[in-house]
């Protein structure tokens, strides 16, 4: 089938209910579809650290000369960072970036599977790309990221969107040059999704999005298997990078003038638990990183269960370790937490926060909350509201529960109506807003240190940046302040941000 026939065959394919097995005969060589069942398995195999695994075939080194790539990124910071790596790979192949799909020779959708609406957005975008592909059959379109790890998504793309040229998984990023090569020269859709996580590959290139704040992956995957969550299936088992590789990367960024580092992991404070030969955790790593001459270090996202005393003690030392803790609670009801398999109770969460507040009195707390989990009663939802007030979170990401195929919760009866879910979300958001406004009010007339990121999104006359506690501050100041940490006096506290005036340039930190 040539490219044109394949595009025109959309209708035929969509009524064709072939199983993925049938397709495997059809696609032969480059057909490695995902399996959530395999992704669930956790083996004892040791992780290999590969320094020279990534390479670009000679004939692909200049393949992108005069061509452009676009990567649209959905979802979390991990995906954003994966995009930086894929951008680095494209640039090594000679491609230039573009932000217009019409000008691109390759478009990748780096997808998120966390909730149904995240997936719907991607399918909407796939639909928008079809006319471009029809106009320019040489355009290569790829789907990668978490959605490509799901059989149901791959089957839907095969059946409804056969004009997609390549699908590859979260463990196949280093294979991008090979996948692109295959897609360029093959007439069929290239599918390469490994369901079992691979090794840790240390020599991947990166093109970072900015030169002020940088992300550093410290571990991959998640073994927590919260019953609602697809991440342990799409990102594989927990694998920690070696401390020396992380420290070197942070040092490198410090030398390049970066002002802030965020350590990334799906379950970042499980860092080191997979080291067989040594007892070394996130607290130990932070202890080393705080000695590096970089003004700010953050980390995300933590699981309450893995937040140990040593980590709290190290954070309490302050310095360049920022006093902001994002600690997803998900629910304030012990019964719901049990159904979610979060492995802590309302009481133990509150106790942990109490301990942290005692040791790190300046800390600000933010969280993630899911409403409308199967069987959640009104009283249990009220417990979430009361916990929120008790902790006095600064803000929260709040979500309506979305069943994810293949997870244990998807097998529970989703017995809360959408009307009730929406009403609970509204009530929760009202509390979140109220507390955020109250917390921000305490900043009125105070002086804060702001890492200036650039012009404000809504007003180029105004600069914007974040405080150490992660508060957004908009203020008038000279453009020369961009990339610096400056002192700002808060003139107006709003619900979600603070307005101020710069009073002093370039604060000496540490
Ligand atoms: N439905 C709704 N929210 C979810 N999250 C994870 N899985 C789901 C789901 N199935 C939320 C959790 C998590 C955040 C990243 O996304 O709150 O902390
Ligand atoms: Fe998902 Fe986070 Fe639970 Fe892991 S710890 S399963 S990423 S919610």
């Amino acid at each position: 089938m040539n490219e044109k026939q394949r595009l025109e065959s959309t209708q035929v394919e969509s009524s064709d209910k072939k199983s993925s097995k049938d397709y495997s005969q059809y696609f032969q060589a480059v057909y490695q579809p995902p399996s959530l069942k395999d992704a669930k398995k956790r083996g004892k195999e040791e992780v290999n650290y590969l320094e020279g695994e990534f390479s670009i075939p000679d004939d692909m080194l200049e393949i992108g000369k005069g061509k452009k790539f676009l990567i649209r990124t959905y979802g979390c910071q991990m995906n954003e960072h994966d995009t930086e790596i894929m951008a680095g790979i494209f640039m090594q192949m000679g491609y230039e970036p573009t932000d217009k799909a019409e000008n691109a020779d390759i478009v990748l959708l780096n997808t998120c599977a966390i909730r149904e609406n995240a997936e719907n957005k991607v399918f909407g975008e796939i639909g928008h790309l079809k006319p471009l592909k029809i106009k320019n059959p040489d355009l290569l379109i790829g789907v990668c990221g978490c959605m490509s790890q799901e059989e149901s998504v791959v089957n839907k793309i095969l059946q409804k969107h056969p004009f997609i040229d390549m699908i590859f998984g979260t463990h196949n990023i280093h294979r991008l040059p090979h996948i692109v090569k295959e897609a360029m020269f093959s007439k069929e859709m290239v599918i390469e999704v490994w369901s079992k996580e691979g090794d840790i590959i240390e020599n991947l290139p990166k093109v970072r999005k900015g030169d002020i704040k940088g992300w550093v992956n410290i571990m991959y995957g998640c073994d927590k298997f919260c019953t609602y969550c697809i991440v342990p299936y799409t990102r594989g088992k927990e694998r920690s990078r070696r401390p020396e590789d992380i420290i070197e990367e942070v040092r490198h960024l410090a030398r390049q003038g970066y002002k802030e580092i965020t350590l990334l992991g799906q379950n970042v404070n499980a860092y080191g638990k997979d080291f067989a030969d040594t007892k070394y955790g996130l607290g130990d790593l932070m202890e080393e990183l705080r000695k590096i001459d970089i003004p700010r270090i953050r980390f995300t996202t933590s699981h309450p269960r893995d937040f140990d005393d040593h980590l709290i003690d190290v954070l309490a030392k302050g310095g360049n370790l920022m006093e902001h803790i994002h600690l997803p609670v998900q629910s304030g009801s012990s019964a719901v937490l049990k159904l979610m398999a979060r492995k802590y109770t309302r009481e133990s969460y509150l106790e942990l926060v109490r301990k942290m507040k005692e040791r790190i009195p300046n800390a600000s707390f933010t969280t993630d909350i899911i409403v409308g989990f199967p069987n959640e009663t009104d009283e249990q939802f009220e417990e979430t509201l009361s916990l929120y007030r008790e902790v006095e979170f600064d803000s929260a990401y709040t979500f309506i529960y979305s069943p994810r195929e293949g997870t244990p919760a998807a097998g529970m009866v989703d017995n809360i109506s959408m009307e009730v879910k929406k009403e609970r979300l509204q009530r929760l958001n009202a509390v979140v807003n109220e507390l955020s406004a109250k917390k921000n009010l305490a900043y009125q007339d105070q002086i804060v240190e702001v890492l200036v990121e650039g012009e404000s999104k809504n007003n180029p006359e105004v600069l914007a940046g974040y405080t150490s506690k992660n508060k957004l501050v908009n203020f008038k100041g000279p453009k020369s302040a961009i990339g610096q940490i400056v002192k700002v006096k808060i003139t107006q506290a709003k619900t979600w941000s603070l307005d101020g005036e710069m009073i002093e340039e370039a604060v000496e930190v540490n």
Side-chain angles (χ1 to χ4, degrees):
M1 184 163 37
N2 67 27
E3 194 62 31
K4 208 154 179 290
Q5 283 167 328
R6 184 151 74 86
L7 284 169
E8 287 163 1
S9 71
T10 310
Q11 268 330 97
V12 181
E13 295 269 353
S14 62
S15 59
D16 183 355
K17 294 272 185 293
K18 279 181 187 172
S19 73
S20 52
K21 266 210 180 99
D22 296 327
Y23 282 114
S24 76
Q25 289 151 14
Y26 177 53
F27 287 107
Q28 298 164 9
V30 218
Y31 186 84
Q32 296 183 52
S35 154
L36 285 182
K37 213 167 131 212
D38 286 347
K40 194 174 173 179
K41 293 180 189 148
R42 291 292 184 267
K44 288 244 176 291
E45 316 83 49
E46 266 194 32
V47 171
N48 293 311
Y49 297 90
L50 305 173
E51 297 291 341
E53 179 72 6
F54 172 75
S55 67
I56 299 179
D58 285 347
D59 55 347
M60 294 301 280
L61 272 171
E62 304 217 326
I63 198 91
K65 273 236 161 106
K67 294 185 184 161
K68 295 197 161 65
F69 72 93
L70 167 67
I71 310 177
R72 285 209 204 289
T73 313
Y74 302 81
C76 67
Q77 289 155 326
M78 192 65 80
N79 264 14
E80 295 275 356
H81 190 46
D82 283 348
T83 289
E84 293 183 335
I85 293 170
M86 292 190 287
I89 297 176
F90 276 132
M91 300 212 26
Q92 282 198 352
M93 288 159 68
Y95 286 92
E96 291 289 326
T98 175
D99 50 13
K100 290 202 174 60
E102 306 81 62
N103 299 339
D105 299 277
I106 296 196
V107 176
L108 287 187
L109 304 181
N110 188 7
T111 63
C112 170
I114 200 100
R115 281 169 293 276
E116 195 186 352
N117 55 8
E119 298 206 351
N120 291 342
K121 265 193 226 159
V122 171
F123 278 112
E125 183 59 23
I126 290 177
H128 290 143
L129 290 173
K130 190 175 176 188
L132 281 184
K133 178 78 182 173
I134 291 178
K135 218 164 106 190
N136 172 16
D138 288 336
L139 168 67
L140 288 181
I141 304 179
V143 175
C144 58
C146 287
M147 279 171 70
S148 46
Q149 297 291 138
E150 299 177 280
E151 292 102 309
S152 57
V153 167
V154 171
N155 286 335
K156 186 167 167 186
I157 293 176
L158 278 165
Q159 290 172 8
K160 298 223 162 97
H161 310 284
F163 63 90
I164 295 293
D165 299 278
M166 48 193 166
I167 304 178
F168 59 97
T170 57
H171 310 307
N172 303 71
I173 287 177
H174 66 291
R175 299 258 316 139
L176 183 58
H178 302 267
I179 292 163
V180 169
K181 182 174 173 180
E182 204 60 51
M184 271 178 176
F185 300 111
S186 152
K187 300 255 179 310
E188 312 300 353
M189 195 187 297
V190 173
I191 299 173
E192 190 187 285
V193 184
W194 297 345
S195 294
K196 294 269 323 157
E197 58 291 333
D199 304 309
I200 290 185
I201 298 160
E202 283 295 348
N203 69 327
L204 291 168
K206 294 174 192 102
V207 175
R208 294 186 189 269
K209 220 167 135 191
D211 51 10
I212 302 170
K213 303 210 290 190
W215 288 306
V216 175
N217 249 331
I218 66 165
M219 66 175 304
Y220 305 90
C222 178
D223 288 346
K224 280 285 182 284
F225 287 101
C226 302
T227 54
Y228 51 81
C229 187
I230 193 78
V231 169
Y233 308 80
T234 61
R235 291 281 174 174
K237 79 168 181 183
E238 289 175 357
R239 288 105 65 211
S240 302
R241 284 179 74 199
R242 286 176 305 206
E244 57 270 31
D245 292 325
I246 298 166
I247 292 165
E248 186 41 46
E249 188 173 342
V250 175
R251 283 207 182 116
H252 175 70
L253 290 169
R255 281 195 296 271
Q256 289 189 311
Y258 279 80
K259 297 289 190 307
E260 182 176 301
I261 295 301
T262 302
L263 307 176
L264 289 184
Q266 243 84 36
N267 182 14
V268 78
N269 52 342
Y271 176 75
K273 285 192 157 184
D274 55 315
F275 292 148
D277 47 346
T278 156
K279 215 174 154 302
Y280 189 94
L282 183 59
D284 301 297
L285 181 66
M286 298 290 261
E287 182 73 277
E288 304 250 9
L289 295 177
R290 62 187 291 276
K291 296 177 199 149
I292 297 177
D293 187 13
I294 193 147
R296 291 181 167 192
I297 300 179
R298 303 182 187 277
F299 58 100
T300 194
T301 281
S302 315
H303 192 291
R305 186 59 199 249
D306 290 324
F307 224 108
D308 58 39
D309 287 351
H310 181 46
L311 178 56
I312 300 176
D313 287 343
V314 175
L315 291 177
K317 295 182 184 176
N320 57 0
L321 308 181
M322 294 297 95
E323 63 264 41
H324 166 225
I325 297 167
H326 185 68
L327 194 64
V329 65
Q330 313 298 0
S331 166
S333 150
S334 294
V336 175
L337 289 170
K338 192 157 188 210
L339 285 178
M340 290 176 164
R342 291 289 289 177
K343 301 188 178 79
Y344 55 84
T345 60
R346 172 192 177 91
E347 292 71 31
S348 64
Y349 184 93
L350 286 171
E351 174 54 25
L352 176 63
V353 171
R354 191 202 54 74
K355 197 159 61 176
M356 287 174 173
K357 285 186 173 174
E358 194 181 281
R359 299 284 293 119
I360 320 166
N362 284 331
S364 69
F365 290 85
T366 55
T367 197
D368 292 349
I369 293 173
I370 297 175
V371 302
F373 191 76
N375 297 310
E376 184 189 63
T377 63
D378 243 328
E379 293 72 35
Q380 289 167 339
F381 169 67
E382 294 280 350
E383 286 187 80
T384 299
L385 297 182
S386 74
L387 177 131
Y388 197 90
R389 287 189 184 282
E390 198 166 332
V391 175
E392 288 210 314
F393 287 107
D394 277 68
S395 79
Y397 296 106
T398 57
F399 309 103
I400 285 179
Y401 166 68
S402 168
R404 309 313 297 136
E405 200 181 312
T407 61
M412 303 175 190
V413 183
D414 184 12
N415 54 0
I416 317 288
S417 71
M418 188 45 87
E419 197 188 337
V420 171
K421 284 178 180 163
K422 283 189 175 159
E423 192 233 359
R424 285 183 190 165
L425 187 72
Q426 265 179 16
R427 284 175 62 200
L428 173 60
N429 286 345
V431 175
V432 170
N433 292 350
E434 179 198 316
L435 257 87
S436 179
K438 180 179 157 193
K439 288 260 160 175
N440 282 354
L441 206 56
Y443 285 92
Q444 186 70 42
D445 302 325
Q446 300 293 307
I447 293 167
V448 290
E449 288 183 2
V450 178
L451 171 57
V452 190
E453 290 184 20
E455 293 167 359
S456 155
K457 272 190 202 134
N458 305 325
N459 180 359
E461 302 295 302
V462 170
L463 298 177
Y466 288 85
T467 68
S468 56
K469 292 191 177 57
N470 222 28
K471 296 274 175 200
L472 173 62
V473 182
N474 293 304
F475 64 99
K476 290 215 171 77
K479 299 272 191 273
S480 59
I482 295 173
Q484 308 293 320
I485 294 176
V486 301
K487 287 199 171 170
V488 176
K489 182 168 182 185
I490 302 305
T491 51
Q492 196 189 354
K494 298 177 168 171
T495 302
W496 290 113
S497 62
L498 305 165
D499 286 351
E501 279 163 10
M502 189 171 127
I503 56 165
E504 192 183 305
E505 205 158 336
V507 176
E508 266 301 306
V509 190
N510 298 327

